[in-house]
Amino acid sequence: RPRSIADLPGVGPTTASKLVEAGYTTIEAIAVATPEELVSVAGIPLATAHKIIKAARELLDIRFKTAKEVKMERMNLKKITTGSSNLDELLGGGVETKTITEFFGEFGSGKSQISHQLSVNVQLPTDQGGLTEGENIAKAVYIDTEGTFRWERIEQMARCAGLDPELAMENIYYMRAVNSDHQMAVVEELFGLVPKENIRLVVVDSVTSHFRAEYPGRENLAVRQQKLNKHLHQLSRLAEIYNVAVVITNQVMAKPDVFYGDPTQAVGGHVLYHAPGVRVQLKKSRGNKRIARMVDAPHLPEGETVFEITECGIRD
Ligand code: ADP
C-alpha cells in the first residue's frame, strides 16, 4: 500500500517535489486539499488533480460513515485538561484534538494564561489529562504575535503539574510571528514539523492582532477577513490532518460599540463565524476569578462557569 505521495497515481517526481515544497507532504494532506489548490501549487491539469485527490481519499478510507461510527471516533478523541475541572466540564472534558478552540475576551481575561497552561498540560500522560502516551511525549507549538509568552510561567506551571520544568520547556516550540504573512508562513511550515515531532497542540496567541494592525478600519474589512479566513482554513486543515488541538486567542474590547460594523470585533467578537470549532468567551470577575462562557457550540450546551488564575496556573 502506497505510503508517500509519490506513490499516488498521477504524481510524478516533478509534481511530487512541487507538492512537498508547498506543504502537501502526506497522503492525508492531499486527501483534504481542493483540486484548485493542487493545480495552483503543482501546475498540473485539473483532471489530474481530481484523480490524485480521489486516489488519496480511497487510500485513507474517506467515505460515508454511519452516525454510530462517527460517535465512536469522537468518543476516542482525547482531550487536554485546562487545569480547571469547571472549565474542562464547560468544554465537554477539555480542549479537543481535530478542533479549533477560540478563547476570546478583553485584555487580562486569561487568554495567554490558558495558552501557557495547555502547552504544559498537553505533555501530561493521557490518564492525567494530557496526550503523552508512554514514552511518546506530546509537544506543543506556541506562535506568539504580541510578545506575551513567558518561559518563567511555563516553568512555574510545569513544576506545579509535576513535570520536569526543563524538559517541559524543551517540548514547547516557540515562534514569534512578526506580521500576518509570517504568521501564515509559520503555519504552512507546521505541516512538515507537526508529524515529525509528535506535536499535538498548536497555539496562536493572538490570531487576530497582526491582521487588525495591518488592515485597520472598515475600509480594509473585506481584505482582512479574507486573509484571516485563509489562515483559519490552514489551521483547521492542520488540526484535521494531524489530529492536533488548535487553540487561538482573540482580544476583543470591553466596549464593542467602538467596533461597530466590524464582524471580527462585533458583540461576542469571535472570529470563528462559520468555521467549525468551539468558542469560549472569557470575562474578568473579582480578583483572580474569571468567567468562561460557551458560545454557540455545535455539540456542547451553552453555559457559564468560573475558574481562577493562580501562581500554579489555571485552577477551579
Ligand atoms: P490576556 O487575556 O490579555 O491574554 P492573560 O492571560 O495574560 O490575559 O492574563 C493576565 C492575568 O493573569 C493577570 O491579570 C493576572 O491576574 C493573572 N496572572 C498572570 N500571572 C500570574 C501569576 N504568576 N500568578 C497569578 N496570577 C497571574
Side-chain angles (χ1 to χ4, degrees):
R1 127 169 215 178
R3 290 246 157 248
S4 98
I5 65 162
D7 300 326
L8 291 169
V11 180
T14 318
T15 304
S17 70
K18 279 186 193 154
L19 288 172
V20 169
E21 224 167 272
Y24 300 88
T25 54
T26 61
I27 293 173
E28 283 84 355
I30 302 284
V32 298
T34 66
E36 291 74 18
E37 279 169 24
L38 298 194
V39 168
S40 83
V41 300
I44 48 175
L46 190 61
T48 310
H50 274 290
K51 191 173 121 188
I52 294 172
I53 291 169
K54 184 162 175 276
R57 287 182 182 167
E58 279 168 6
L59 265 171
L60 296 174
D61 193 28
I62 295 178
R63 59 184 168 85
F64 273 110
K65 289 173 186 147
T66 64
K68 173 87 178 191
E69 287 177 279
V70 174
K71 176 186 172 187
M72 295 317 289
E73 280 182 10
R74 278 281 143 184
M75 283 177 56
N76 286 331
L77 284 186
K78 297 279 191 300
K79 317 245 171 116
I80 308 168
T81 180
T82 59
S84 152
S85 52
N86 288 344
L87 190 51
D88 286 352
E89 198 179 318
L90 186 81
L91 289 161
V95 168
E96 216 174 56
T97 59
K98 292 202 177 196
T99 301
I100 299 182
T101 303
E102 175 180 348
F103 291 98
F104 68 100
E106 60 187 298
F107 176 77
S109 58
K111 303 180 295 295
S112 292
Q113 295 301 311
I114 290 177
S115 301
H116 282 67
Q117 186 74 66
L118 289 167
S119 303
V120 169
N121 288 0
V122 69
Q123 303 180 41
L124 291 167
T126 45
D127 59 359
Q128 291 174 38
L131 297 179
T132 289
E133 294 174 70
E135 303 286 285
N136 197 18
I137 295 176
K139 303 179 185 179
V141 161
Y142 202 109
I143 303 172
D144 180 8
T145 68
E146 293 172 314
T148 49
F149 180 82
R150 294 287 174 273
W151 63 264
E152 295 90 337
R153 219 32 200 137
I154 297 293
E155 194 176 46
Q156 209 169 19
M157 288 174 171
R159 192 169 286 123
C160 288
L163 292 168
D164 175 340
E166 300 296 320
L167 274 181
M169 287 191 277
E170 283 195 29
N171 293 327
I172 299 172
Y173 295 85
Y174 173 83
M175 178 74 87
R176 173 81 197 260
V178 296
N179 57 42
S180 66
D181 284 322
H182 183 220
Q183 189 175 325
M184 292 173 78
V186 170
V187 173
E188 270 319 305
E189 227 179 287
L190 289 182
F191 283 85
L193 182 71
V194 163
K196 260 188 255 151
E197 294 292 336
N198 195 35
I199 287 159
R200 304 300 309 282
L201 168 71
V202 172
V203 171
V204 189
D205 179 30
S206 107
V207 79
T208 41
S209 58
H210 284 317
F211 292 89
R212 288 212 183 100
E214 292 162 34
Y215 304 95
R218 295 185 70 171
E219 63 275 24
N220 293 311
L221 183 61
V223 185
R224 174 172 72 229
Q225 199 55 37
Q226 199 176 20
K227 262 195 106 171
L228 193 53
N229 283 344
K230 197 173 162 206
H231 186 45
L232 293 171
H233 180 67
Q234 261 186 321
L235 289 167
S236 78
R237 256 179 49 215
L238 190 71
E240 184 64 38
I241 296 173
Y242 295 120
N243 190 21
V244 301
V246 171
V247 167
I248 60 178
T249 72
N250 174 26
Q251 186 151 311
V252 299
M253 297 294 169
K255 272 199 217 145
D257 52 302
V258 177
F259 292 89
Y260 179 77
D262 176 351
T264 71
Q265 269 294 19
V267 186
H270 58 80
V271 293
L272 281 177
Y273 282 95
H274 304 298
V278 173
R279 305 136 182 113
V280 180
Q281 181 173 23
L282 301 177
K283 282 181 279 190
K284 286 194 224 176
S285 184
R286 241 180 300 163
N288 286 332
K289 292 202 187 306
R290 298 292 185 275
I291 298 163
R293 187 171 72 94
M294 183 59 66
V295 180
D296 55 47
H299 59 292
L300 295 167
E302 302 217 340
E304 271 192 8
T305 195
V306 177
F307 67 93
E308 241 178 66
I309 309 175
T310 72
E311 276 295 304
C312 273
I314 306 299
R315 296 291 184 270
D316 278 339

